[in-house]
Amino acid sequence: MAKGNSIKMKEVDENEIVLSVRDVTVAIDGKLILDKLSLDIRRGEILGFVGASGAGKSVLLRTILGLLRKQSGTIKLFGVDVDKASDMERLRVDMRLGVLFQHGALFSALTVQENVQVPMREYLDLPRKLMDELALLKIELVGLPPDAAQKFPSELSGGMIKRAALARALALDPDIVFLDEPTSGLDPISAAEFDELVVKLRDTMDLTVYMVTHDLDTLFTACDHVAVLGKKKVLVEGTIDDMLKSEEPWVKSYFRGKRARQLDLAARA
Ligand SMILES: Nc1ncnc2c1ncn2[C@@H]1O[C@H](COP(=O)(O)OP(=O)(O)OP(=O)(O)O)[C@@H](O)[C@H]1O
Ligand SMILES: [Mg+2]
């Protein structure tokens, strides 16, 4: 998909494989969840990662982030094999990742500004004033009003919480963000606005986006590439058109069900 008229701050290789997952097998408590799963994501791409509930989408995400142990396989981020990386290399890789988790998007006892500053405190040694300014910039970047900075998560709407969590994921100016169902629970308009924001950020910041989603609107409007998790691996991957042509039963009913057909017609109108 063609990218927007972004002003490139740096030369980027759009063929660069930002994330490479090869033959990754994960078992939890003796139960096989992922079996030799492979997946690539290229720079600047918005990948939509779909699959039935309980298929293992969040498990894969947590494995990529190093929060869950894999039994076998290789994961490379920015060409660095995470198993072979030195502590310093691993730290450099971690600083280039942003994450919005499916559950517990924000710390409830911290204000939005303090939440956004969590990764900054963890990885950077910056004066308080600078951190405050940086956090406010991120808060503005995701379309929140400046007065949201001093609010606690309980004082925000669902859509604002997602935006604040996105601001925290962007705290360190990452090269790739992992978003686990960022629009779940939002009304269709707020969800569409969130999708637009993600596309805008990709276009202006050369961001690569790995998005776990159940949201067909998101898949049709925001994602360049779709990967479907099924039978413990990536069953099918490609463009939305490839999904629409797939004869794989789950993919067929998901992408060619009644609701999907309506969306497809609307997108092509
Ligand atoms: N910490 C854990 N301990 C035990 N089992 C787990 C753990 N985390 C995940 N699982 C199991 O792994 C499987 C995959 O779960 P996962 O959360 O990755 O699904 P998912 O595809 O993200 O589903 P959803 O779309 O509902 O979020 C499920 O059977 C789940 O019960
Ligand atoms: Mg999940």
Side-chain angles (χ1 to χ4, degrees):
M1 184 185 279
K3 290 217 239 162
N5 297 323
S6 55
I7 302 163
K8 297 281 190 316
M9 304 298 282
K10 54 190 172 191
E11 275 304 308
V12 292
D13 173 4
E14 289 179 1
N15 286 318
E16 181 197 345
I17 293 176
V18 173
L19 167 69
S20 160
V21 177
R22 279 287 161 279
D23 296 324
V24 163
T25 296
V26 177
I28 302 179
D29 300 335
K31 186 176 150 205
L32 191 60
I33 311 282
L34 305 174
D35 187 15
K36 294 200 178 143
L37 180 146
S38 296
L39 177 73
D40 283 340
I41 177 163
R42 287 170 199 281
R43 180 173 281 276
E45 211 166 63
I46 302 183
L47 172 80
F49 196 68
V50 289
S53 207
K57 302 179 298 296
S58 297
V59 164
L60 177 62
L61 188 56
R62 297 216 301 276
T63 308
I64 293 168
L65 297 172
L67 303 173
L68 273 179
R69 216 169 56 84
K70 55 184 164 48
Q71 269 58 44
S72 58
T74 332
I75 294 174
K76 286 188 186 170
L77 279 156
F78 313 106
V80 176
D81 182 333
V82 292
D83 294 319
K84 295 188 181 147
S86 65
D87 288 351
M88 186 50 87
E89 279 173 322
R90 180 72 230 202
L91 183 72
R92 269 197 229 116
V93 166
D94 285 347
M95 287 180 70
R96 298 174 70 182
L97 315 177
V99 191
L100 189 159
F101 285 106
Q102 184 174 11
H103 303 291
L106 293 175
F107 294 111
S108 56
L110 302 182
T111 63
V112 168
Q113 176 167 304
E114 288 164 347
N115 263 286
V116 175
Q117 288 171 340
V118 169
M120 297 179 189
R121 286 183 204 281
E122 197 177 335
Y123 290 102
L124 309 173
D125 185 18
L126 296 176
R128 170 87 198 256
K129 193 166 172 292
L130 185 55
M131 273 209 304
D132 287 349
E133 282 167 15
L134 285 175
L136 281 173
L137 273 177
K138 304 295 169 191
I139 289 165
E140 197 184 322
L141 185 67
V142 299
L144 285 173
D147 68 352
Q150 298 312 323
K151 293 201 166 130
F152 289 93
S154 60
E155 298 173 293
L156 304 178
S157 70
M160 290 172 90
I161 287 179
K162 300 285 188 183
R163 280 174 193 260
L166 183 62
R168 188 174 65 184
L170 296 171
L172 301 177
D173 291 326
D175 287 296
I176 181 168
V177 285
F178 295 89
L179 312 176
D180 198 347
E181 305 207 11
T183 57
S184 71
L186 298 188
D187 67 75
I189 293 171
S190 305
E193 285 171 356
F194 190 94
D195 291 342
E196 264 172 43
L197 173 64
V198 170
V199 173
K200 191 178 100 188
L201 291 171
R202 184 277 303 273
D203 290 346
T204 52
M205 298 172 70
D206 278 318
L207 203 58
T208 303
V209 182
Y210 178 117
M211 177 152 48
V212 177
T213 183
H214 279 297
D215 194 326
L216 278 167
D217 292 287
T218 303
L219 290 162
F220 276 90
T221 59
C223 298
D224 312 305
H225 204 82
V226 179
V228 181
L229 179 62
K231 300 179 189 156
K232 305 181 172 53
K233 47 185 79 190
V234 173
L235 262 188
V236 188
E237 65 175 308
T239 60
I240 278 284
D241 275 341
D242 296 328
M243 299 304 122
L244 293 169
K245 287 181 202 138
S246 172
E247 289 302 323
E248 189 64 49
W250 190 89
V251 180
K252 206 170 158 179
S253 61
Y254 194 77
F255 286 93
R256 277 145 65 186
K258 187 162 170 255
R259 205 174 112 67
R261 279 201 304 277
Q262 284 164 352
L263 281 171
D264 184 35
L265 285 174
R268 286 164 201 266

